[in-house]
């Protein structure tokens, strides 16, 4: 098995500072939020951010889906530091400084594009019971520029160093051209490019850029809701998750040396994955309902665990096992946070 080396895993996405607080149903209703959802902030949510920080128990965590996943992968691997590279855009402000510090503490090699126009992005995690409603105010994260950052020789060298690439679907709303450039590189060099459906709204409103990248996707992640929305948008005419996985696997693909792998998580139900020409179910680890503190970040953690095994070239079953372990750890804690070391063998 290859040992992980620096910059072997590359991630690019929206670096956000998570602001999480326990709220009540009235709060959700006031801002028209569903208990379990991810949306982009609109003008009517401006007051939400002002209100949530005034709550008595607010927690700040470095977040953003892709950044969470590469951070978890690094945590699972432990050594060497900086196995994961991360690109994204932040503002030159206090929240930006916090993100830089947190990335460093997590031993992720973050190279942010820093600009003055917009403040660092934030994501309000409105928690009610086991549910979390996420409202992302991308701000600076939305300002990522391919020609100002990705195309610079020193940055592109880091892209070339990687063997595994992961970009959440959320970044399709920001810089689809950056995603295509990285995805093409991976495909041309027979390296592994992974993507996530991320949220129902991506398949609904960003289907065109999503389908432009799909031919380069070697591993596609998603949860049951995202899978169902994707199937509906593509006219699959089935709501059977195994069938959706199969049809997704068979979508056109550039690099024919690798068969596409599709992995759909379903919360406490079995994870569904295409293994060769079959679709297999993988049961998740048992957990007492009372031990679940916060499901925010469970999907990101699953991907992070998976990637940590993938960079070591483990078999798919082993990658899924590592993903299940990481998700099981994360849901026992607030936000996408973790203990000092994994207890994983």
């Amino acid at each position: 098995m290859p040992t992980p080396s620096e910059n072997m895993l590359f991630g690019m996405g929206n670096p956000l500072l998570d602001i999480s607080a326990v709220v009540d149903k009235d709060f959700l209703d006031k801002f028209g939020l569903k208990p379990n959802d991810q949306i982009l902030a609109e003008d009517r949510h401006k007051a939400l951010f002002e209100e949530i920080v005034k709550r008595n128990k607010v927690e700040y965590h470095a977040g953003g889906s892709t950044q969470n996943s590469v951070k978890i992968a690094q945590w699972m691997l432990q050594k060497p530091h900086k196995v994961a590279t991360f690109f994204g855009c932040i503002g030159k402000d206090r929240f930006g400084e916090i993100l830089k510090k947190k990335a460093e503490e997590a031993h992720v090699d973050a190279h942010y594009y820093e600009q003055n126009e917009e403040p660092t992005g934030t994501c309000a995690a409105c928690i009610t019971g086991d549910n979390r409603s996420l409202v992302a105010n991308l701000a600076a994260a939305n300002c990522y520029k391919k020609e100002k950052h990705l195309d610079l020789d020193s940055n592109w060298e880091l892209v070339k160093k990687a063997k595994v690439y992961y970009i959440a679907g959320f970044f399709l709303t920001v810089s689809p051209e950056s995603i295509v450039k990285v995805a093409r590189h991976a495909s041309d060099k027979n390296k592994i490019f992974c993507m996530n459906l991320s949220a129902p709204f991506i398949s609904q409103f960003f289907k065109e850029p999503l389908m432009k990248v799909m031919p380069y996707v070697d591993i596609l992640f998603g949860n049951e809701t995202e899978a169902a929305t994707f199937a509906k948008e593509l006219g699959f005419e089935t709501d059977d998750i195994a069938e959706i996985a199969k049809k997704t696997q068979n979508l056109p693909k550039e690099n024919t040396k690798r068969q596409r792998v599709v992995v759909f998580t379903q919360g406490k139900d079995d994870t569904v994955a295409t293994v060769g020409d079959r679709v297999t179910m993988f049961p998740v680890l048992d957990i007492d309902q009372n031990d679940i503190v916060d499901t925010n970040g469970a999907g990101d953690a699953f991907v992070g665990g998976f990637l940590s095994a993938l960079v070591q070239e483990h078999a798919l079953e082993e990658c899924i096992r590592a993903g299940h372990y990481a998700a099981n750890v994360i849901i026992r804690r607030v936000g996408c946070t973790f203990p000092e070391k994994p207890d994983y063998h």
Side-chain angles (χ1 to χ4, degrees):
M1 291 292 171
T3 49
S5 55
E6 276 192 17
N7 308 112
M8 195 178 202
L9 171 63
F10 176 84
M12 179 165 63
N14 300 330
L16 303 173
L17 191 73
D18 284 347
I19 305 173
S20 50
V22 174
V23 300
D24 50 22
K25 193 179 171 305
D26 291 346
F27 185 89
L28 296 182
D29 293 344
K30 179 175 176 180
F31 295 106
L33 304 177
K34 294 180 192 155
N36 220 354
D37 203 8
Q38 312 92 316
I39 62 166
L40 292 178
E42 295 166 31
D43 283 343
R44 64 196 173 104
H45 298 115
K46 286 277 189 286
L48 181 154
F49 288 87
E50 290 158 17
E51 241 178 81
I52 201 162
V53 294
K54 292 184 186 140
R55 301 251 144 186
N56 47 8
K57 277 196 185 148
V58 185
E59 298 210 10
Y60 292 92
H61 298 287
S65 183
T66 306
Q67 187 166 243
N68 281 343
S69 293
V70 298
K71 201 180 281 183
I72 298 265
Q74 178 67 55
W75 170 73
M76 287 283 286
L77 291 164
Q78 292 285 306
K79 291 273 186 298
H81 291 165
K82 299 190 173 180
V83 169
T85 313
F86 179 76
F87 286 3
C89 182
I90 59 174
K92 293 183 179 175
D93 51 27
R94 189 171 71 88
F95 283 178
E97 289 305 314
I98 294 174
L99 283 186
K100 285 201 275 197
K101 188 164 148 282
K102 295 283 186 191
E104 204 176 307
E105 284 168 6
H107 307 299
V108 167
D109 194 14
H111 293 256
Y112 296 117
Y113 169 49
E114 297 180 45
Q115 48 73 61
N116 288 322
E117 334 267 86
E118 288 280 342
T120 296
T122 49
C123 178
C126 311
I127 299 160
T128 51
D130 289 347
N131 294 318
R132 50 102 186 104
S133 195
L134 306 178
V135 184
N137 180 26
L138 296 183
N142 210 14
C143 300
Y144 190 82
K145 298 279 182 288
K146 174 176 164 289
E147 57 287 352
K148 295 255 178 81
H149 195 263
L150 185 68
D151 292 346
L152 303 181
D153 290 345
S154 57
N155 289 332
W156 190 248
E157 281 306 314
L158 288 167
V159 175
K160 293 196 321 206
K161 260 180 101 170
K163 296 211 164 43
V164 174
Y165 301 83
Y166 173 66
I167 301 176
F170 289 125
F171 201 57
L172 286 163
T173 75
V174 173
S175 185
E177 58 286 354
S178 295
I179 303 178
V180 169
K181 182 174 181 179
V182 171
R184 270 208 187 118
H185 166 78
S187 181
D188 293 346
K189 300 283 188 246
N190 193 28
K191 299 196 273 193
I192 303 173
F193 182 81
C194 315
M195 187 138 199
N196 203 316
L197 292 174
S198 291
F201 82 83
I202 297 293
S203 296
Q204 289 167 315
F205 308 115
F206 295 89
K207 181 174 137 190
E208 197 187 334
L210 174 63
M211 295 319 288
K212 266 203 184 117
V213 181
M214 198 56 73
Y216 304 105
V217 176
D218 296 302
I219 302 177
L220 182 71
F221 298 102
N223 67 21
E224 72 278 40
T225 326
E226 293 148 13
T229 308
F230 181 69
K232 203 168 115 205
E233 290 298 323
L234 265 71
F236 284 174
E237 295 186 346
T238 178
D239 45 19
D240 177 298
I241 192 145
E243 191 63 23
I244 295 171
K246 194 76 216 137
K247 290 195 166 190
T248 304
Q249 181 185 37
N250 292 331
L251 289 169
K253 190 164 189 306
E254 279 290 322
N255 177 9
T256 49
K257 294 191 197 104
R258 295 182 187 276
Q259 186 179 25
R260 181 180 291 122
V261 173
V262 179
V263 184
F264 291 144
T265 56
Q266 312 187 77
K268 62 182 187 313
D269 297 326
D270 293 1
T271 294
V272 179
T274 58
V275 182
D277 295 326
R278 296 197 321 279
V279 176
T280 311
M281 304 289 192
F282 296 88
V284 301
L285 294 165
D286 281 335
I287 185 167
D288 184 331
Q289 265 331 90
N290 299 321
D291 291 335
I292 299 177
V293 173
D294 175 11
T295 55
N296 187 18
D300 296 340
F302 172 81
V303 172
F306 188 105
L307 294 171
S308 72
L310 187 65
V311 296
Q312 300 176 81
E313 293 179 25
H314 289 315
L316 179 68
E317 293 76 354
E318 182 50 42
C319 294
I320 290 173
R321 197 171 79 85
H324 285 164
Y325 168 79
N328 185 275
V329 170
I330 295 308
I331 57 180
R332 298 166 189 267
R333 310 165 66 90
V334 174
C336 199
T337 60
F338 34 82
E340 194 190 340
K341 285 200 165 106
D343 177 21
Y344 181 74
H345 308 287

